[in-house]
Coordinates of all heavy atoms in Angstrom, one line a residue:
T984 N 0.8 -1.1 0.0 CA 0.0 0.0 0.0 C 0.9 1.2 -0.1 O 1.9 1.3 0.7 CB -0.9 0.0 1.3 OG1 -1.7 -1.1 1.2 CG2 -1.8 1.3 1.3
L985 N 0.5 2.2 -0.8 CA 1.4 3.5 -0.8 C 1.3 4.2 0.4 O 0.2 4.3 1.2 CB 0.7 4.3 -2.0 CG 1.0 3.9 -3.4 CD1 0.2 4.8 -4.4 CD2 2.4 3.9 -3.8
R986 N 2.4 4.7 0.9 CA 2.5 5.4 2.1 C 1.8 6.8 2.0 O 1.8 7.4 0.9 CB 3.9 5.7 2.5 CG 4.7 4.3 2.9 CD 6.1 4.4 2.7 NE 6.8 5.3 3.7 CZ 8.1 5.6 3.8 NH1 8.9 5.1 2.9 NH2 8.5 6.5 4.7
P987 N 1.3 7.4 3.1 CA 0.8 8.7 3.0 C 1.8 9.8 2.7 O 2.9 9.6 3.4 CB 0.0 8.9 4.3 CG 0.7 7.9 5.2 CD 1.1 6.8 4.4
V988 N 1.5 10.8 2.1 CA 2.3 11.9 1.8 C 1.9 13.2 2.4 O 0.6 13.5 2.4 CB 2.5 12.2 0.2 CG1 3.4 13.4 0.1 CG2 3.2 11.0 -0.5
V989 N 2.7 13.9 3.2 CA 2.4 15.1 3.8 C 3.2 16.3 3.1 O 4.5 16.1 3.0 CB 2.7 15.3 5.3 CG1 2.4 16.4 5.9 CG2 2.0 14.1 5.9
V990 N 2.6 17.2 2.5 CA 3.3 18.3 1.9 C 3.3 19.6 2.9 O 2.3 20.1 3.2 CB 2.5 18.8 0.6 CG1 3.3 19.8 -0.2 CG2 2.3 17.6 -0.5
G991 N 4.5 19.8 3.3 CA 4.8 20.9 4.2 C 5.1 20.4 5.6 O 4.5 19.3 6.1
F992 N 6.1 21.0 6.2 CA 6.5 20.6 7.6 C 6.5 21.7 8.6 O 7.5 21.8 9.4 CB 7.8 19.9 7.5 CG 8.1 18.9 8.6 CD1 7.2 17.9 8.9 CD2 9.2 19.2 9.5 CE1 7.5 17.0 10.0 CE2 9.6 18.2 10.5 CZ 8.6 17.2 10.8
G993 N 5.4 22.5 8.5 CA 5.2 23.5 9.6 C 4.3 22.8 10.7 O 4.3 21.6 10.7
P994 N 3.8 23.7 11.6 CA 3.1 23.0 12.8 C 2.0 21.9 12.4 O 1.9 21.0 12.9 CB 2.6 24.3 13.4 CG 3.3 25.3 13.1 CD 3.8 25.1 11.7
C995 N 1.3 22.2 11.3 CA 0.3 21.3 10.9 C 0.9 20.0 10.3 O 0.4 18.9 10.7 CB -0.7 22.0 9.8 SG -2.0 20.9 9.2
G996 N 1.9 20.2 9.4 CA 2.5 19.0 8.9 C 3.4 18.3 9.9 O 3.4 17.0 9.8
I997 N 4.0 18.9 10.8 CA 4.7 18.1 11.9 C 3.7 17.3 12.7 O 4.0 16.0 12.8 CB 5.4 19.2 12.8 CG1 6.5 19.9 12.2 CG2 5.8 18.4 14.2 CD1 7.1 21.0 13.1
F998 N 2.5 17.8 13.0 CA 1.7 16.9 13.8 C 0.9 15.9 12.9 O 0.7 14.8 13.5 CB 0.7 17.7 14.7 CG 1.4 18.3 15.9 CD1 1.9 19.6 15.9 CD2 1.4 17.6 17.1 CE1 2.6 20.0 17.1 CE2 2.0 18.0 18.2 CZ 2.6 19.2 18.2
A999 N 0.6 16.2 11.8 CA -0.1 15.1 10.8 C 1.1 14.0 10.7 O 0.6 12.9 10.8 CB -0.3 15.9 9.5
A1000 N 2.3 14.4 10.4 CA 3.3 13.4 10.2 C 3.5 12.5 11.5 O 3.6 11.4 11.4 CB 4.6 14.0 9.7
L1001 N 3.6 13.2 12.5 CA 4.0 12.6 13.8 C 2.9 11.7 14.2 O 3.2 10.4 14.6 CB 4.2 13.6 14.9 CG 4.5 13.1 16.3 CD1 5.8 12.4 16.3 CD2 4.5 14.2 17.4
V1002 N 1.7 12.0 14.1 CA 0.6 11.1 14.6 C 0.4 10.0 13.6 O 0.2 8.9 14.0 CB -0.8 11.9 14.6 CG1 -2.0 11.0 14.9 CG2 -0.7 12.9 15.9
L1003 N 0.6 10.3 12.3 CA 0.6 9.2 11.3 C 1.7 8.1 11.7 O 1.6 6.9 11.6 CB 0.8 9.7 9.9 CG -0.4 10.3 9.3 CD1 0.0 10.9 8.0 CD2 -1.5 9.3 9.1
A1004 N 2.9 8.7 12.0 CA 4.0 7.8 12.3 C 3.7 7.0 13.5 O 4.0 5.8 13.8 CB 5.2 8.6 12.5
Q1005 N 3.1 7.6 14.6 CA 2.8 7.0 15.8 C 1.8 6.0 15.6 O 1.6 4.9 16.4 CB 2.3 8.1 16.9 CG 3.3 8.9 17.4 CD 2.8 10.1 18.2 OE1 1.6 10.6 18.2 NE2 3.8 10.7 19.0
M1006 N 0.9 5.9 14.6 CA -0.1 5.0 14.2 C 0.5 4.0 13.3 O -0.2 3.0 12.9 CB -1.3 5.6 13.7 CG -2.2 6.4 14.7 SD -3.8 6.9 14.0 CE -3.2 8.3 13.0
G1007 N 1.7 4.1 13.0 CA 2.5 3.1 12.0 C 2.3 3.3 10.6 O 2.5 2.4 9.9
C1008 N 2.0 4.6 10.2 CA 1.5 4.8 8.8 C 2.8 5.2 7.9 O 2.8 5.4 6.8 CB 0.5 5.9 8.6 SG -1.1 5.3 9.2
K1009 N 3.9 5.4 8.5 CA 5.2 5.7 7.9 C 5.1 6.8 6.8 O 5.3 6.6 5.5 CB 5.8 4.4 7.3 CG 6.0 3.3 8.3 CD 6.6 2.2 7.6 CE 6.7 0.8 8.6 NZ 7.6 1.1 9.7
P1010 N 4.8 8.0 7.2 CA 4.5 9.0 6.2 C 5.8 9.5 5.5 O 6.9 9.4 6.0 CB 3.9 10.2 7.0 CG 4.6 9.9 8.4 CD 4.6 8.4 8.5
I1011 N 5.6 10.0 4.3 CA 6.7 10.7 3.6 C 6.3 12.1 3.5 O 5.2 12.6 3.1 CB 6.7 10.2 2.1 CG1 7.1 8.7 2.1 CG2 7.8 11.1 1.3 CD1 7.1 8.2 0.6
V1012 N 7.2 13.1 4.1 CA 7.0 14.5 4.1 C 7.8 15.1 3.2 O 9.1 14.8 3.0 CB 7.4 15.0 5.6 CG1 7.2 16.6 5.6 CG2 6.5 14.4 6.6
L1013 N 7.2 16.0 2.3 CA 8.0 16.8 1.3 C 8.0 18.2 1.8 O 6.9 18.9 1.9 CB 7.1 16.7 0.0 CG 7.0 15.3 -0.5 CD1 6.2 15.4 -1.9 CD2 8.3 14.6 -0.8
E1014 N 9.1 18.7 2.2 CA 9.2 20.1 2.6 C 10.1 20.9 1.5 O 11.3 20.5 1.3 CB 9.8 20.2 3.9 CG 10.2 21.6 4.4 CD 9.2 22.6 4.3 OE1 8.1 22.4 5.0 OE2 9.5 23.7 3.7
R1015 N 9.6 22.0 1.0 CA 10.4 22.8 0.1 C 11.6 23.5 0.6 O 12.7 23.6 -0.1 CB 9.4 23.7 -0.6 CG 9.1 25.0 0.3 CD 7.9 25.8 -0.3 NE 8.4 26.5 -1.5 CZ 7.7 27.2 -2.4 NH1 6.3 27.1 -2.2 NH2 8.2 27.8 -3.4
G1016 N 11.6 23.8 1.8 CA 12.7 24.4 2.5 C 13.8 23.5 3.1 O 13.7 22.3 2.8
T1017 N 14.6 24.2 3.8 CA 15.8 23.3 4.3 C 15.5 23.0 5.9 O 14.6 23.5 6.5 CB 17.1 24.2 4.2 OG1 16.9 25.5 4.9 CG2 17.4 24.4 2.8
Q1018 N 16.5 22.3 6.4 CA 16.5 21.9 7.7 C 16.6 23.1 8.7 O 17.2 24.1 8.2 CB 17.5 20.9 8.2 CG 17.3 19.5 7.6 CD 18.2 18.4 8.1 OE1 18.7 18.5 9.3 NE2 18.4 17.4 7.4
V1019 N 16.1 23.1 9.9 CA 15.9 24.3 10.8 C 17.2 25.1 10.8 O 17.1 26.4 10.9 CB 15.1 23.9 11.9 CG1 16.1 23.1 12.9 CG2 14.6 25.2 12.6
R1020 N 18.3 24.6 11.2 CA 19.5 25.2 11.4 C 20.0 25.9 10.1 O 20.5 27.1 10.3 CB 20.5 24.4 12.1 CG 20.1 24.1 13.5 CD 21.1 23.4 14.4 NE 20.5 22.9 15.6 CZ 20.4 23.6 16.7 NH1 20.8 24.8 16.7 NH2 19.8 23.0 17.7
E1021 N 19.9 25.1 9.1 CA 20.3 25.8 7.8 C 19.3 26.9 7.4 O 19.8 28.1 6.9 CB 20.5 24.8 6.6 CG 20.7 25.3 5.3 CD 20.7 24.2 4.2 OE1 20.7 23.1 4.6 OE2 20.8 24.7 3.0
R1022 N 18.2 26.6 7.7 CA 17.2 27.6 7.5 C 17.3 29.0 8.2 O 17.1 30.0 7.8 CB 15.7 27.0 7.7 CG 14.6 28.0 7.6 CD 13.3 27.3 8.1 NE 12.2 28.4 8.0 CZ 11.1 28.2 8.9 NH1 11.0 27.3 9.7 NH2 10.2 29.1 8.6

């Protein structure tokens, strides 16, 4: 089964991805920007 995709890793994307991961859904997050320290 295809893994769920989350577009964006702001507050909404963080919690969507985290809760999906906590339920075992192994999400793929696509974030257009960089990691927070580089950012």
Side-chain angles (χ1 to χ4, degrees):
T984 298
L985 292 173
R986 296 158 66 183
V988 173
V989 179
V990 182
F992 203 57
C995 179
I997 287 173
F998 279 93
L1001 178 62
V1002 170
L1003 283 170
Q1005 289 171 341
M1006 290 188 286
C1008 290
K1009 303 182 185 300
I1011 298 172
V1012 178
L1013 304 175
E1014 168 54 55
R1015 68 189 296 168
T1017 55
Q1018 293 191 21
V1019 68
R1020 295 190 183 272
E1021 180 181 346
R1022 177 191 176 202

